[in-house]
Amino acid sequence: MTEESPEEDHGSPGVAETNPGSPSSKTNNNNNNNKEQDRFLPIANVGRIMKKVLPGNGKISKDAKETVQECVSEFISFVTGEASDKCQREKRKTINGDDIIWAITTLGFEDYVAPLKVYLCKYRDTEGEKVNSPKQQQQRQQQQQIQQQNHHNYQFQEQDQNNNNMSCTSYISHHHPSPFLPVDHQPFPNIAFSPKSLQKQFPQQHDNNIDSIHW
Amino acid sequence: MENNNGNNQLPPKGNEQLKSFWSKEMEGNLDFKNHDLPITRIKKIMKYDPDVTMIASEAPILLSKACEMFIMDLTMRSWLHAQESKRVTLQKSNVDAAVAQTVIFDFLLDDDIEVKRESVAAAADPVAMPPIDDGELPPGMVIGTPVCCSLGIHQPQPQMQAWPGAWTSVSGEEEEARGKKGGDDGN
């Protein structure tokens, strides 16, 4: 994962990403220009994604792209703020993938949730390949704890049949025997947490009966 | 049961398009090394929130996928409005109309001064609005000051803000003029 940032970033990276396909709509000195561009995703990337859902003859005006650029930045801030609030309530410092999914669910984007859960499960499967690194082991432990929360989320979705089926499918496939199974199981004995510690970290699940940890 | 109020407001054709869209999304791109959106930029935007301390590596990657779906969602709804106008070029006014008409996009109405529900519901004045938008706000509307200021860079384009309301008839001349201009900007 060459583009992946360190597991936990304690400071903002000093390197600003430059994208030739992202011309600024406003002529300014470099500092202001660079700072303003950093608040939005590159307009070329946004335009390419917009084209995916338009027919072949569809065109997109530049001001439409710019409006969507602004809307996406608002979306990121909106979701991040909600996830951050949740972390603070639970006395946690790190925003993780499940916080993002929870925030998106809470904010009304239910249609996005099922694909995101599939995506997150697959991503974590990929991450499982890097269990040798101590940092990855720590992250792995964190993800296993989050998995319990995922289990809770899946139960919450039982009313929605389609999503439930898809989620269950991905959840089951996640636990199929895989070539990584022997490697995945190595660090588990080192993880020292119990259902009590889980309840401590996820107070809202106090009423749930989590008898066993699945992996 | 469909609990997305926004979908209920769309015509049946729109619903079918959206549903097929979500079905395809389930098969989505699972290549984590090639992102359609830059992860570092997303992370930087996340960190503008002073309350955000630490971010797990999976969070911006997951959010990039969510943003991609958001962009496609918003674009599809905007395109439905463009089709109502028999256009092949997506305009800013189509995006604004989709935002105003979709409940889950309400968060954009509060902060983005260029997208106002009242302006969509009422017939917009064809004359370009003055650069200072605060004066044009309907009575009782409150804008979050920090975000409003940060989005001020788009005020130097007042002519872009003069667009017709989604549900009101507009003069043919203006429609053609806007379409022509849009065609020039399109790619």
Side-chain angles (χ1 to χ4, degrees):
Chain A
M1 197 81 48
T2 56
E3 292 187 21
E4 184 178 343
S5 304
E7 176 183 359
E8 295 176 349
D9 190 344
H10 296 261
S12 298
V15 180
E17 182 167 342
T18 60
N19 190 319
S22 173
S24 172
S25 61
K26 185 181 177 184
T27 305
N28 256 347
N29 59 59
N30 280 343
N31 275 343
N32 284 347
N33 192 48
N34 188 53
K35 195 170 183 180
E36 283 159 11
Q37 284 196 54
D38 280 345
R39 295 193 301 108
F40 301 125
L41 298 177
I43 195 169
N45 298 65
V46 171
R48 272 200 302 272
I49 295 173
M50 291 176 74
K51 276 184 167 179
K52 290 184 178 182
V53 296
L54 296 187
N57 66 329
K59 295 179 175 59
I60 309 168
S61 69
K62 185 177 183 184
D63 57 337
K65 293 179 191 175
E66 287 174 353
T67 298
V68 174
Q69 258 189 312
E70 295 173 37
C71 292
V72 177
S73 291
E74 286 300 315
F75 176 74
I76 294 171
S77 301
F78 195 41
V79 172
T80 302
E82 196 73 16
S84 174
D85 289 347
K86 180 175 187 286
C87 284
Q88 288 183 33
R89 286 195 297 270
E90 299 177 358
K91 304 291 199 297
R92 288 187 285 111
K93 290 184 177 179
T94 306
I95 294 176
N96 56 46
D98 284 285
D99 297 322
I100 299 295
I101 292 181
W102 179 87
I104 284 172
T105 309
T106 300
L107 299 175
F109 297 91
E110 285 92 356
D111 288 331
Y112 301 8
V113 171
L116 287 176
K117 285 181 175 176
V118 174
Y119 194 78
L120 183 56
C121 283
K122 300 288 184 170
Y123 174 78
R124 286 171 172 169
D125 282 338
T126 306
E127 280 296 294
E129 302 176 35
K130 309 178 180 177
V131 293
N132 290 331
S133 161
K135 200 170 188 181
Q136 292 297 333
Q137 281 185 358
Q138 183 181 355
Q139 188 184 18
R140 188 70 180 179
Q141 176 178 355
Q142 174 184 325
Q143 288 174 356
Q144 290 302 326
Q145 295 173 4
I146 297 165
Q147 197 67 37
Q148 294 302 309
Q149 191 180 14
N150 258 349
H151 187 67
H152 171 251
N153 287 339
Y154 289 140
Q155 289 175 340
F156 177 77
Q157 273 194 338
E158 282 181 354
Q159 293 183 359
D160 194 333
Q161 213 167 25
N162 287 334
N163 282 340
N164 189 45
N165 289 339
M166 296 303 295
S167 299
C168 284
T169 302
S170 64
Y171 187 72
I172 292 168
S173 65
H174 179 68
H175 291 278
H176 273 180
S178 70
F180 310 121
L181 199 61
V183 183
D184 285 354
H185 278 264
Q186 276 184 4
F188 292 157
N190 298 328
I191 299 174
F193 69 92
S194 66
K196 287 186 178 178
S197 69
L198 278 179
Q199 289 179 2
K200 186 175 182 181
Q201 295 201 26
F202 302 101
Q204 78 281 6
Q205 297 188 47
H206 185 73
D207 293 334
N208 295 327
N209 182 19
I210 306 176
D211 293 325
S212 63
I213 301 165
H214 306 275
W215 39 38
Chain B
M1 180 176 181
E2 180 65 62
N3 54 3
N4 186 339
N5 295 330
N7 276 343
N8 295 332
Q9 300 176 13
L10 291 173
K13 181 181 179 183
N15 269 333
E16 289 304 319
Q17 288 187 14
L18 286 171
K19 287 178 181 176
S20 65
F21 164 76
W22 296 121
S23 298
K24 291 175 184 174
E25 272 300 310
M26 294 305 299
E27 314 163 2
N29 172 29
L30 297 177
D31 185 355
F32 305 109
K33 296 183 179 178
N34 296 315
H35 302 279
D36 289 333
L37 296 167
I39 300 301
T40 52
R41 189 75 62 87
I42 291 176
K43 193 167 188 179
K44 188 170 293 187
I45 296 171
M46 291 176 79
K47 284 184 168 294
Y48 281 132
D49 188 333
D51 291 330
V52 172
T53 53
M54 294 188 288
I55 302 173
S57 61
E58 62 188 24
I61 291 172
L62 193 66
L63 200 42
S64 79
K65 179 70 175 179
C67 288
E68 188 181 344
M69 289 194 286
F70 174 83
I71 294 170
M72 292 193 278
D73 190 3
L74 178 54
T75 304
M76 276 196 306
R77 295 173 190 272
S78 306
W79 182 251
L80 294 175
H81 288 279
Q83 284 182 322
E84 289 173 3
S85 306
K86 304 289 195 291
R87 285 181 171 171
V88 294
T89 301
L90 193 73
Q91 304 290 341
K92 180 186 192 309
S93 58
N94 304 135
V95 180
D96 295 338
V99 168
Q101 199 179 39
T102 310
V103 172
I104 55 177
F105 296 154
D106 274 357
F107 69 98
L108 298 166
L109 301 175
D110 295 330
D111 293 333
D112 190 347
I113 58 177
E114 296 180 51
V115 180
K116 295 184 284 287
R117 183 181 290 274
E118 285 78 357
S119 299
V120 175
D125 189 345
V127 179
M129 295 180 183
I132 304 175
D133 285 274
D134 292 306
E136 296 296 315
L137 291 176
M141 174 176 255
V142 178
I143 285 188
T145 306
V147 183
C148 173
C149 295
S150 66
L151 291 176
I153 59 172
H154 287 268
Q155 292 184 17
Q157 306 177 48
Q159 63 183 9
M160 293 298 177
Q161 303 176 36
W163 42 265
W167 299 282
T168 59
S169 61
V170 296
S171 64
E173 291 81 6
E174 180 178 354
E175 189 99 356
E176 292 174 3
R178 174 166 284 273
K180 180 178 180 182
K181 183 174 185 180
D184 293 338
D185 292 337
N187 50 3

